[in-house]
Amino acid sequence: MRLLMLLIGLLTSTYVFAAEPFGRASIEDAEGIVPGQQVHVVVDLFAPEFFTSPPQFPLFDVPNALVTLSTDRAQNLVQTIDGVQYSGIRRSYAVVPEKAGSFQLPVVEIDLGYSSNGSPVKGMVKVTLPSFEVGASSHQSATPFAARGLAMTQAFDRDPASLNVGDALVRTVVVFAEDTQAMLMPPVAFGTTAGVARYEKPPVLADGVEQRGIGRSVETGSTRTQTVVYTVSSAGRFRLQAISYPWFDVDGHALSAAALPATDVVVAPAAVTERIHPELQGDVTAPASRTWRGWYVVLLLCAIDLAVAAFAWWRLPAIRTWATRVRERRRNSPRRRLGRLRTIIRVGDDLAVYRGLQDWSRNLGYRTASEWMEAQACPRLSAQVAILERRLFRSRDMQLDRAALASAITLPTADGRPPKRALPDLNPTAEDPLLRPL
């Protein structure tokens, strides 16, 4: 009888305990990793039914390595386990080791929201990230930079062989590489040329750049763009040095180098333009009366300058007051106040966001944020403010969409001012949840 009851309990336990979310992690191409190579740590997160809020993948620190969260769009997954259908989300970390050795990755805690029997539930999943080994390569340079499909191109804004003295030659070099990040790409060494002045502009870094490769296929990678301006002050022939850009090819597992050939710059003398000399008509000596008339004009202009300076000194306090008012008016303009409010929404905590909305409402003439929100008649704005108040005064079971809240707030129109009331409210604190008695 006891055995029968135990079997019945085991059979019914699958219906008693609800399915729980889980996660797993793996490393792509874990063999033959070298220093400077970007290691992709893929994390799959699963939840029963569907997600009600996006998982929050945290960053972590690893000694002697750079860790970033991939900016690629998350992939959606579906998997059925023991008759239960799970929804999944895949994200990846990019770990770049700086030297050879063993790298132990930590356990990450990922907060998420999912549906359980039709009700939203908050949860947390712990995922153990795998470790990996980085081997030293005798063919790799001292400064590790590993990538795939690196290519380097250059362009000039004009023909380098047809310059004149005083002209500027602009040279743009673009380095494109796959499976790396732009901030890891080392600078291009241009070298020096005697008689040629060089000015380098700040580099431009970009990730997620699409470029057509061999066979018209589109490859996605990162670029480092460097621009140099050359000037020459004397005529002659000058040679810009060839450029060599060393890098480690992950596919070929060997040290390689991209190269640009040397460029000859030919500078001709500046073109001489024919000058037209003015001719004096009549007597070259001006009459004495005309000379004294010029001195009178100079003295009159000096007197006017002194009078203006004395008036400005006398009215200096008033001018300073006027300038202060102009600065304050410009600083408190609706457009700048809206910019400061959106900044608070993006980076501030919930209480700071709510206070920012209250200040914005009062500056527009409303008593509370709720009254301003009702006047806007914007469902998206109302929904986000309701979530904010729920997080402040009830529970933090819902996630605030800061981007949606910031975009829903717009500049007031001329006819959007609140109507003036004859009498103030008898209980002004009732509308403000922060001022309600506990």
Side-chain angles (χ1 to χ4, degrees):
M1 189 64 181
R2 294 179 179 176
L3 180 59
L4 179 61
M5 295 298 294
L6 178 61
L7 292 175
I8 294 175
L10 292 175
L11 292 175
T12 58
S13 61
T14 57
Y15 301 95
V16 175
F17 297 101
E20 296 292 336
F22 66 94
R24 61 194 180 201
S26 60
I27 295 179
E28 294 183 351
D29 301 330
E31 298 295 332
I33 300 175
V34 297
Q37 179 179 345
Q38 188 167 244
V39 180
H40 298 278
V41 181
V42 181
V43 179
D44 295 338
L45 197 65
F46 292 92
E49 299 185 16
F50 55 90
F51 290 93
T52 59
S53 62
Q56 303 299 317
F57 289 83
L59 285 176
F60 52 89
D61 295 327
V62 176
N64 300 318
L66 174 66
V67 180
T68 58
L69 187 61
S70 175
T71 58
D72 297 338
R73 182 177 299 179
Q75 300 181 21
N76 296 325
L77 308 173
V78 177
Q79 185 172 353
T80 302
I81 302 176
D82 295 334
V84 179
Q85 183 172 342
Y86 289 80
S87 298
I89 293 180
R90 171 174 292 177
R91 293 292 302 273
S92 61
Y93 292 95
V95 182
V96 182
E98 298 176 352
K99 64 179 185 178
S102 178
F103 287 82
Q104 303 293 331
L105 302 186
V107 177
V108 294
E109 298 180 352
I110 305 174
D111 296 326
L112 72 157
Y114 63 98
S115 176
S116 178
N117 298 325
S119 300
V121 178
K122 290 291 184 180
M124 187 268 291
V125 175
K126 294 183 178 182
V127 180
T128 302
L129 301 182
S131 59
F132 59 91
E133 297 289 334
V134 178
S137 176
S138 59
H139 302 290
Q140 194 171 6
S141 60
T143 302
F145 169 63
R148 290 184 170 91
L150 187 141
M152 184 169 57
T153 58
Q154 71 174 350
F156 294 92
D157 68 330
R158 62 183 66 191
D159 185 5
S162 59
L163 300 179
N164 294 323
V165 174
D167 291 344
L169 178 64
V170 180
R171 182 186 195 181
T172 303
V173 176
V174 180
V175 181
F176 174 86
E178 304 172 31
D179 201 12
T180 187
Q181 301 178 46
M183 63 180 177
L184 300 176
M185 302 172 71
V188 178
F190 290 94
T192 58
T193 301
V196 179
R198 183 189 69 193
Y199 167 72
E200 293 189 24
K201 295 183 178 180
V204 178
L205 308 180
D207 294 313
V209 179
E210 293 184 352
Q211 178 172 300
R212 292 195 177 275
I214 302 176
R216 308 295 293 176
S217 61
V218 178
E219 307 293 344
T220 302
S222 302
T223 59
R224 180 186 180 94
T225 304
Q226 292 186 230
T227 303
V228 182
V229 180
Y230 298 100
T231 57
V232 182
S233 58
S234 60
R237 179 181 293 270
F238 307 88
R239 166 157 288 200
L240 303 181
Q241 297 182 10
I243 295 177
S244 179
Y245 193 80
W247 63 289
F248 188 82
D249 188 357
V250 176
D251 291 332
H253 210 74
L255 183 64
S256 183
L260 294 175
T263 304
D264 290 331
V265 177
V266 180
V267 182
V272 179
T273 59
E274 184 178 356
R275 299 180 180 179
I276 300 177
H277 297 280
E279 296 182 359
L280 299 179
Q281 301 293 334
D283 190 4
V284 295
T285 61
S289 59
R290 184 177 301 176
T291 303
W292 281 107
R293 189 181 303 170
W295 280 107
Y296 289 149
V297 172
V298 172
L299 292 175
L300 179 60
L301 293 177
C302 291
I304 293 174
D305 291 340
L306 291 175
V308 171
F311 178 78
W313 179 262
W314 177 60
R315 298 291 298 173
L316 185 59
I319 294 175
R320 288 180 177 176
T321 303
W322 172 80
T324 301
R325 291 178 180 175
V326 171
R327 286 195 300 268
E328 290 295 328
R329 189 181 302 114
R330 184 179 302 173
R331 182 178 181 275
N332 294 321
S333 64
R335 185 176 301 276
R336 293 201 174 187
R337 284 192 287 106
L338 178 58
R340 291 195 295 268
L341 176 59
R342 286 176 174 172
T343 301
I344 293 174
I345 292 175
R346 287 195 300 267
V347 302
D349 55 14
D350 295 343
L351 183 58
V353 173
Y354 191 79
R355 288 177 176 173
L357 292 176
Q358 293 284 46
D359 294 340
W360 173 261
S361 304
R362 293 192 186 98
N363 287 329
L364 294 180
Y366 296 92
R367 297 170 304 165
T368 64
S370 300
E371 181 179 333
W372 162 74
M373 179 187 63
E374 294 176 359
Q376 303 307 305
C378 179
R380 183 175 55 175
L381 176 63
S382 302
Q384 296 305 319
V385 173
I387 293 174
L388 177 61
E389 292 179 345
R390 180 184 181 90
R391 289 174 60 86
L392 285 172
F393 311 113
R394 293 182 60 185
S395 65
R396 304 177 65 87
D397 59 342
M398 301 184 69
Q399 188 69 25
L400 176 65
D401 191 344
R402 295 174 178 264
L405 177 59
S407 61
I409 303 174
T410 58
L411 291 173
T413 57
D415 55 352
R417 303 292 296 179
K420 294 184 178 180
R421 293 173 172 79
L423 295 175
D425 292 338
L426 295 178
N427 186 14
T429 62
E431 297 291 339
D432 193 344
L434 290 176
L435 300 178
R436 292 175 182 170
L438 297 177

